[in-house]
Amino acid sequence: MNKGKYHYIWISLVILIFGIIFIPKIVNRFNEGTIVETDRMNVKDPADQLAYIILNGEKRKVPPFAFMNQDSLLITNEDYLGKVYVVEFFFTTCPTICPIMNRNLVEVQDEFREFEDFGVASFTINPDYDTPRVLKEYAEKYGITDMDWHLLTGDREEIYQLANVGFNIFAAQADDVPGGFEHSGLFALIDKEGYIRSRLDDFGNPIIYYRGTITEAQGTNIDGEEEQISILKTDIKKLLQE
């Protein structure tokens, strides 16, 4: 028998052994429905990954902060490490967008109530009035119960620096507007390492922040802008799984 025939015999034996050992296992996985589930869990679609916000070539991170919460406890950015959390800037006497924003966040709170690694950081832009006692009453009024939802107050200049420079979320005193303060109704989403994250838009650019002033039930506002609370919830889930 020549070498070619020996070669084909060995190939046949290898195929036979493979079939005897592995084919029954593959068949069992199909029958149990686990092959598709396992493979799907192991493959991550790049489109499902949330983008980092890049500034000057570096991933943008939450700056250090230290403020008092509604329970008069000192809370810093390090207290949020290991947690996915949402950041907002608001004030308790706001007559316009803040009530909508915080009702939306209470809805988010309730959806993620069972997750110990989820939280919210709400920074008041009127710290002279919004003392811990006032913030505590506000929390009770809105049903804020998550132990990792801190309503934060402190030095006025530090808060405005954090808003306008640290997050680039506009906040300012404005005596000519209702409530005396002007601010955007945006939410920032932070990952467990303290980086600002967001999904990409249809053009492949990060949306950066999420609209907090439109409810899911409303759908769109008078300007035709769509609500983003539903996608915020989806993206929180993605970061919790990272």
Side-chain angles (χ1 to χ4, degrees):
M1 188 178 292
N2 60 37
K3 292 184 179 179
K5 290 182 179 180
Y6 278 118
H7 179 71
Y8 287 116
I9 289 172
W10 277 111
I11 292 176
S12 299
L13 286 172
V14 170
I15 293 173
L16 179 61
I17 292 170
F18 177 86
I20 292 171
I21 296 174
F22 293 104
I23 288 179
K25 295 182 179 181
I26 294 173
V27 170
N28 287 337
R29 289 183 66 194
F30 271 113
N31 291 335
E32 294 170 0
T34 59
I35 188 167
V36 176
E37 178 184 355
T38 303
D39 293 346
R40 184 168 58 242
M41 292 293 290
N42 289 333
V43 176
K44 291 186 178 181
D45 185 346
D48 287 339
Q49 304 303 301
L50 299 185
Y52 290 90
I53 311 306
I54 306 300
L55 180 66
N56 298 325
E58 296 183 352
K59 295 184 290 187
R60 192 160 193 168
K61 199 167 191 177
V62 175
F65 65 80
F67 298 109
M68 301 295 289
N69 76 353
Q70 67 268 34
D71 295 313
S72 297
L73 299 175
L74 183 66
I75 303 297
T76 76
N77 56 297
E78 293 187 356
D79 289 302
Y80 284 97
L81 291 178
K83 299 182 185 297
V84 174
Y85 66 105
V86 178
V87 166
E88 69 158 346
F89 292 87
F90 83 112
F91 60 107
T92 61
T93 55
C94 172
T96 54
I97 62 175
C98 296
I100 302 171
M101 294 168 64
N102 282 301
R103 283 194 290 269
N104 279 334
L105 283 179
V106 167
E107 186 178 313
V108 173
Q109 165 198 259
D110 293 344
E111 180 148 340
F112 295 96
R113 185 176 299 279
E114 303 303 320
F115 291 83
E116 295 183 357
D117 50 355
F118 172 74
V120 180
S122 298
F123 299 91
T124 176
I125 59 173
N126 186 13
D128 295 336
Y129 178 82
D130 288 339
T131 62
R133 180 183 62 81
V134 171
L135 294 175
K136 183 73 171 180
E137 293 174 354
Y138 188 87
E140 293 172 352
K141 175 182 176 181
Y142 278 84
I144 295 171
T145 57
D146 191 322
M147 294 182 63
D148 292 308
W149 184 343
H150 301 288
L151 283 69
L152 299 164
T153 187
D155 182 82
R156 179 188 181 92
E157 294 305 317
E158 289 182 12
I159 291 173
Y160 278 81
Q161 177 77 6
L162 182 67
N164 293 309
V165 179
F167 282 96
N168 197 28
I169 294 180
F170 176 73
Q173 184 170 354
D175 296 333
D176 58 338
V177 302
F181 295 88
E182 192 173 10
H183 64 112
S184 65
L186 299 174
F187 296 149
L189 179 58
I190 317 301
D191 70 15
K192 294 178 181 180
E193 296 181 342
Y195 291 101
I196 304 172
R197 303 281 292 276
S198 81
R199 65 170 53 199
L200 302 177
D201 63 19
D202 293 337
F203 302 98
N205 301 310
I207 66 170
I208 305 180
Y209 301 119
Y210 298 76
R211 299 187 193 102
T213 58
I214 311 172
T215 67
E216 285 190 81
Q218 185 181 358
T220 58
N221 63 12
I222 58 174
D223 297 319
E225 296 175 319
E226 295 182 356
E227 63 85 16
Q228 293 185 329
I229 301 304
S230 58
I231 66 171
L232 174 62
K233 292 177 181 178
T234 298
D235 292 349
I236 290 170
K237 291 176 184 176
K238 292 177 182 178
L239 292 184
L240 287 170
Q241 292 171 356
E242 285 191 352

